[in-house]
Amino acid sequence: MIALALRWLYRYLSVEWPERYADPEDLVSIVVSRSWWTYILFRLGPVAMAGILAVHGAQQLEWPSAVALLAMCLTHVLTSSVAAMVTMSKNEWARTTRMYFHGITAVGVVLSCALVWATRRWTGWLAPDVRGLSTNIWATVLALALAKGAYDLLKRAPEAEYLHDRAARSVDPELLVKIRSADCSHTGVLEAIALAEAVERPRWFRRLERCVPGVESTGVMQVKHKGVLTDEESVELFLAKHNEVCEQLANEGATAETIFRRHNSDENFVAMCRHLEPQW
């Protein structure tokens, strides 16, 4: 029951990153993906608390606590990471990266449960008295009220300045200068693509991609290449490919929307590009 409640919590928060590109209106996904520690805190913090409840709740009810923790851990892994890997479409974007990512997350869940078991002697005070019905009812009501308030706060659409600042910190300034200095009339559009990619694939995640075998697109521009690309190499390759069609796009009167979709047709990604397109 605890594992299913935990799964419901993650489904309620509906954070689909890195399953899909983050919507520019989804502050939760954008905050969670900001750094490796925010993602770990989001994915494993509730797991640890659920494990503590499973262990000490079972002890209070005089049930085998190890069995309770193991059942909670396996149920959560099977209904989250394993289920996502099994149902993932073969032609989805960055499938290899996400497969490895789900595998790493599953290992993290198992290690979190192992840590809960190893520290069970000192975490009893964190678990409520599962036999006290009235106490649990009031605690549940208070927890739901606090969770709803936090959720409503995070679900607010992020301001444009926040997105720009987040993107700018995820890509080296000299690379943005190189894009702005490109011999092409679409530099503002290209910069928006770079900023959007930097938000969707933050610096820490790009480092992880470089260590994953079989990943087709690496670097800040997520350019497909046989080898692993650094951020600088991906920008150079991206600009070289765009320069080949720059004149053709200009002659055809291609709009910013057309160029965004030419790079990546995902609706959330295109919307992120619109939010981050320079207004100059």
Side-chain angles (χ1 to χ4, degrees), residues 35-56:
S35 61
W36 63 268
W37 67 265
T38 54
Y39 187 82
I40 289 178
L41 183 64
F42 174 77
R43 285 296 177 192
L44 302 184
V47 172
M49 293 305 298
I52 290 172
L53 178 59
V55 168
H56 295 288

Side-chain angles (χ1 to χ4, degrees), residues 220-233:
V220 68
M221 301 307 298
Q222 292 292 293
V223 181
K224 287 189 176 181
H225 190 67
K226 291 182 179 180
V228 176
L229 298 175
T230 64
D231 286 351
E232 184 175 0
E233 290 170 342

